[in-house]
Amino acid sequence: MAKANALELLQKEISGMAELNVPMRERTTMRTGGNADILIAPVDREDLAKVVKFLAEREIGYFVLGGGSGIIVRDGGIRGAVIALKESFDSIEAVDDEAGGTMMVRAEAGVMLGALVKWAASSGISGFESLAGIPGTLGGALYKNSGGWGESIGQRVEQLEIMDSNAEIHTLLKRDFSFGYRTSNLPTGTIILSASFAGKRTKPDEVMDVTEEWLDKRMMTQPFEAASVGMVFKNPEVGLSAGELIDRCGLKGIRVGDAEVSCDHANYITNIGEATASQLIALIGMVQERVYVKHKVRLSLKVGLVGSSMGERLRIRK
Ligand SMILES: Cc1cc2nc3c(=O)[nH]c(=O)nc-3n(C[C@H](O)[C@H](O)[C@H](O)COP(=O)(O)OP(=O)(O)OC[C@H]3O[C@@H](n4cnc5c(N)ncnc54)[C@H](O)[C@@H]3O)c2cc1C
């Protein structure tokens, strides 16, 4: 069966939303990129397993989408399926230790990070404050080990529940996974379903104050209004930060089409209008080259580049 027909069949078989030819610009904070052949939002684990099995049997690839705040989708879009969890996988629960004091928080991967931080603060549970202001979902934050200023989400994870590319569910304990600087060692195709964290009960006011301090810190140092993916490059292990290296090359404000190196923070590339992914990627390459020529430092990407360049697309009838 042709892949295009298979996707139409999949659309009929699952309970959750399944839409063909979905513009990824509407699903990403950079607001650019071509269409995904199909975007699927399974309603529960059973529905998700059905999707993963269906795709595996037909050798159709899939990409797991969180809030789309850490990726640039290329102009040719995404061949195969995009699986979105934020529509349904959004529960949060707290389980107190019988001795009191310590407790576990278990949250599903589709929960928005902001909602988790807010929930923890209003419940008087500390441990999530430093994540305040990071957009996107818990799943995306875990996959990228998001954070800042020496803190990252991976430091607090006790347990993960994942689905593999054969639709089997596994519980991973701390010894089974590891996190690095904006990376995790989870194999490609892994779908994070939920994570459990050690939390500590304390006074809601205290948690709220610390949360607000972190939020202010992010808001004051990073431009949040423009369409972006946050910082584009990882900071080198030693020496100046990526932003400082770029700034010292005098690159703030340079443009390719509507892609611009932010005048507020040199490690932000923003879409100031109708930037294509090709323009954004060309500007990224230009920045890397200029930084290398001046400082002999190779900047590596923090943002994920996803999908295909312009080219052949599956023909799917609407
Ligand atoms: C204004 C702004 C500020 C930002 N500030 C910060 C910051 O301070 N610190 C920081 O670290 N980042 C920051 N970011 C980047 C981004 O918000 C984070 O990396 C975020 O955690 C990505 O989450 P997401 O849900 O949007 O992931 P997406 O962009 O949707 O996906 C990112 C990656 O995670 C994978 N993924 C998503 N969900 C799952 C899942 N359930 N299972 C398996 N894989 C999954 C995707 O396949 C993809 O490879 C910022 C971005 C913006 C736009």
Side-chain angles (χ1 to χ4, degrees):
M1 181 189 285
K3 281 186 183 171
N5 295 342
L7 295 182
E8 285 172 351
L9 179 64
L10 174 62
Q11 191 183 25
K12 290 184 194 116
E13 279 200 5
I14 75 152
S15 312
M17 182 274 278
E19 246 178 69
L20 300 172
N21 295 322
V22 175
M24 290 304 291
R25 53 178 297 128
E26 292 169 7
R27 293 268 173 172
T28 53
T29 56
M30 193 53 113
R31 297 207 290 270
T32 195
N35 290 3
D37 288 334
I38 189 166
L39 189 135
I40 302 161
V43 288
D44 54 24
R45 289 173 180 211
E46 216 186 335
D47 210 23
L48 176 62
K50 202 191 278 182
V51 171
V52 171
K53 275 187 201 146
F54 183 100
L55 296 171
E57 279 161 14
R58 290 157 183 86
E59 296 182 348
I60 299 174
Y62 61 84
F63 174 77
V64 191
L65 179 70
S69 66
I71 54 168
I72 294 175
V73 178
R74 294 190 180 90
D75 297 319
I78 298 180
R79 300 293 64 77
V82 170
I83 300 177
L85 298 191
K86 76 174 179 178
E87 274 75 7
S88 301
F89 292 72
D90 57 359
S91 73
I92 310 175
E93 61 178 359
V95 184
D96 280 280
D97 182 280
E98 277 178 18
T102 61
M103 43 106 48
M104 291 282 267
V105 171
R106 184 182 161 281
E108 286 188 297
V111 167
M112 297 307 287
L113 211 53
L116 178 62
V117 170
K118 202 169 161 194
W119 171 89
S122 58
S123 312
I125 297 170
S126 70
F128 299 91
E129 298 90 324
S130 67
L131 303 170
I134 304 180
T137 62
L138 174 61
L142 288 163
Y143 191 81
K144 303 281 282 188
N145 191 20
S146 297
W149 294 281
E151 297 279 329
S152 62
I153 191 164
Q155 295 162 347
R156 312 212 174 264
V157 185
E158 296 292 321
Q159 206 168 291
L160 289 176
E161 266 188 306
I162 60 147
M163 184 178 285
D164 66 22
S165 49
N166 297 314
E168 275 163 29
I169 294 179
H170 308 270
T171 299
L172 306 183
L173 304 177
K174 253 184 162 169
R175 60 169 184 267
D176 304 321
F177 52 81
S178 63
F179 294 99
Y181 174 45
R182 303 294 166 262
T183 57
S184 55
N185 69 342
L186 298 165
T188 314
T190 300
I191 303 175
I192 303 166
L193 299 174
S194 78
S196 299
F197 303 87
K200 200 169 178 292
R201 278 205 191 275
T202 171
K203 292 191 185 113
D205 285 357
E206 284 174 17
V207 189
M208 198 68 85
D209 288 348
V210 182
T211 302
E212 270 165 23
E213 277 168 29
W214 275 98
L215 191 58
D216 289 347
K217 196 165 162 170
R218 275 212 168 80
M219 294 294 167
M220 281 185 316
T221 51
Q222 301 179 15
F224 271 80
E225 284 96 53
S228 81
V229 286
M231 293 189 209
V232 170
F233 303 102
K234 292 182 179 177
N235 287 321
E237 279 174 26
V238 289
L240 297 175
S241 69
E244 283 165 321
L245 291 169
I246 300 165
D247 199 4
R248 287 186 187 200
C249 292
L251 296 178
K252 275 184 174 173
I254 68 155
R255 290 184 189 171
V256 173
D258 276 349
E260 182 185 82
V261 174
S262 168
C263 294
D264 297 322
H265 193 310
N267 199 1
Y268 269 62
I269 287 181
T270 55
N271 175 0
I272 57 167
E274 298 294 321
T276 60
S278 311
Q279 290 170 345
L280 290 157
I281 292 166
L283 186 56
I284 287 171
M286 195 184 285
V287 169
Q288 284 173 314
E289 194 185 316
R290 299 265 189 100
V291 167
Y292 184 73
V293 168
K294 188 171 167 77
H295 302 287
K296 296 288 171 284
V297 175
R298 290 191 196 282
L299 291 180
S300 58
L301 290 185
K302 177 172 168 287
V303 59
L305 301 183
V306 178
S308 14
S309 308
M310 278 307 225
E312 189 59 22
R313 302 204 50 243
L314 291 181
R315 266 188 286 278
I316 298 175
R317 294 187 302 274
K318 271 260 181 188

